[in-house]
Amino acid sequence: MPAGGSSGDDAPSRRTESRRPESPPAESPRTGSGPAWDDGLIARRVAEGAAAEQAVVLEARGSGGGGGSGSQGVAPLAYDGTLRSRLDALRELVGLSRTRLDSRTLSEAGRVLDEAAARRRLSGQHTVVAIAGATGSGKSQLFNALAGVTISETGVRRPTTAAPIACSWSDGAAGLIDRLGIPPRLRRRPVQNAELEAQLRGLVLVDLPDHDSAAVQHREQVDRILRLVDAVIWVVDPEKYADAMLHERYLRPMAGHAEVMFVVLNQTDRLPGEATELVLDDLRRLLDEDGIALGEYGEPGATVLSLSALTGDGVPELREALGQFVTERGAAARRISADVDAAAAELWPVYAARQRTGLSEQAREEFAARLADAVGATAAGEAAERAWLRNANRACGTPWLRLWRWFQDRREPPTGRLLLRTPADEEATARQRVEQAVRTVADRASAGLPAPWAQAVREAAVRGAQGLPEALDQLAARAGLPPGRPPRPGWWPAAVLAQASMTLLQVVGGLWLVGQIVGVMSPNLGVPVLLMIAGIVGGPLVEWSCKMAARGPARRYGQEAERRLREAAAGCGRARVLDPVAAELLRYREVREQYARVTGVGAGAR
């Protein structure tokens, strides 16, 4: 506070005789004949003539404001259906996310759930309002003015308020004050005034230490209690209303709590002429920059008032606004709703997708195609087609060609049918193709997801890829060509019979010619030569015809072998990679729907 300036807390001597006497600092010597009482935290002096009327009454342990039993018979707080649904969704959201998000990320949401449950069990007929402010703002003086009697110590010593003090206007608030951690010796009742009690019935007012106090424990108490109260009255003065600490540490982060917030410009008695309105307009501008909605023209938002706790100017207006606010009995639910909004906003980066997420059908097909290429499905189909043609040629070829092939097979050991196991270099290449396919599908599935869920998708894909190449090899062995020779079509016996006939014609013609040469048969070259020519020409012709006829069945046989291998590879990849990835995406969609419920927006399609 600059020299020459005095706040409501700093200038008790400026009170008129009609006002209640102000408390001197605790260090100052007491004057007057009035009784003195000092518990080490609060020092006050009551005028002897007004002692009976203005005495501060400590709440008895059996009363609603101080003891634990005082809250019995008080109806607990009831949340409406929308807020209950949001809290249930937040609880479900936290449960679904525990295995994907670290506890620090979910800590605020868990705190909101715990506090919402704790507040719901307590009185719904009371509203807890904290008075917060900086050093010298006059918040304790305003606290006393609202109570109608000196309760909280005021003076020039800083910090003046060393511990929070609670004042309850009706019984049944013990549980709420216990929740704040305020001991019974710091609980008070206001002056006995039927009109004021009726106006503020249900109010529990808490005077907090200075939020900018040099004592760390004072600031910690302010931060702790501000998380627990239903509403807060921010008291600012003409000199420190634009204080960066107030706006950046408290007002801006609490912008979503505007509906349960009062901002009071105190010490207007120090401002000349129209300066109060100018400062008030500038204060509204700063609040608007903080993102705090102002409750003007009947719109929901923070209530901004100006007053002087020292002279009493504007205090009745605040008391009236506070009384209406308490009478509505909706501050606690609005506070919890704002807390849920704040928790949802904090969780936005870990739930909001940047684009439409999920695995497209094209990505699935490309993944299956990459796996099929890795196991050589195309090569297997081509090999099956060649095997079918080779068997067709063997069955329908001329005996002499078959004999030649048999001789070639005897000379060179057969390489067998299709090699399902690749050599070492080809096996390494196949493994690389599988790993590349898994990385590609994981990147596509995680595209646009928040970092934790994208990481979960990639980890699921990597876990599934372990042992995938070996599993593909085993499936390829089972799903490849069946053992034995390929099946024979129905026309093969006819072709074999025709080929045998051509061979028989050659044999008959040859034996006829031999018989004529040795003189066993009469000479007649025409017929045996024609028979031999027919057999020699007919055999290759039958073989060529069979080869042409075998192309279609051979192609279909190769395609069937390739299809089986592709389906086997796709099924293995789906079971090991795509299904776990899809499960993670489904979990994300579930939490995204719950998050949409928490924010109060219909579940999106993302």
Side-chain angles (χ1 to χ4, degrees), residues 56-188:
V56 177
V57 182
L58 288 174
E59 290 184 328
R61 293 189 177 273
S63 67
S69 62
S71 58
Q72 294 179 356
V74 179
L77 179 64
Y79 297 147
D80 59 22
T82 301
L83 182 54
R84 286 200 306 270
S85 176
R86 295 182 66 194
L87 289 171
D88 292 342
L90 183 60
R91 187 175 297 104
E92 185 72 16
L93 180 68
V94 171
L96 290 172
S97 304
R98 289 194 186 278
T99 58
R100 300 296 179 268
L101 304 177
D102 58 84
S103 57
R104 181 180 301 178
T105 303
L106 297 174
S107 61
E108 179 61 19
R111 186 197 68 81
V112 170
L113 289 172
D114 293 341
E115 297 302 339
R119 182 63 182 90
R120 186 176 184 179
R121 292 190 295 267
L122 300 175
S123 172
Q125 305 302 314
H126 291 79
T127 301
V128 183
V129 181
I131 298 184
T135 303
S137 61
K139 59 180 179 56
S140 295
Q141 199 170 50
L142 178 60
F143 180 83
N144 294 336
L146 291 173
V149 66
T150 301
I151 294 178
S152 188
E153 177 189 2
T154 63
V156 297
R157 181 172 58 89
R158 299 289 178 244
T160 304
T161 306
I165 303 171
C167 181
S168 176
W169 268 256
S170 58
D171 295 338
L176 291 171
I177 303 177
D178 289 340
R179 180 168 172 254
L180 302 180
I182 300 177
R185 62 188 178 83
L186 297 180
R187 304 179 189 185
R188 304 290 184 265

Side-chain angles (χ1 to χ4, degrees), residues 363-376:
R364 294 174 181 271
E365 292 176 355
E366 290 182 2
F367 177 67
R370 288 174 181 268
L371 295 184
D373 292 341
V375 298

Side-chain angles (χ1 to χ4, degrees), residues 16 420 565:
T16 61
L420 295 176
L565 198 52

Side-chain angles (χ1 to χ4, degrees), residues 75 175 233 279 305 349 409 575:
I233 300 175
V279 173
L305 297 172
D409 292 342

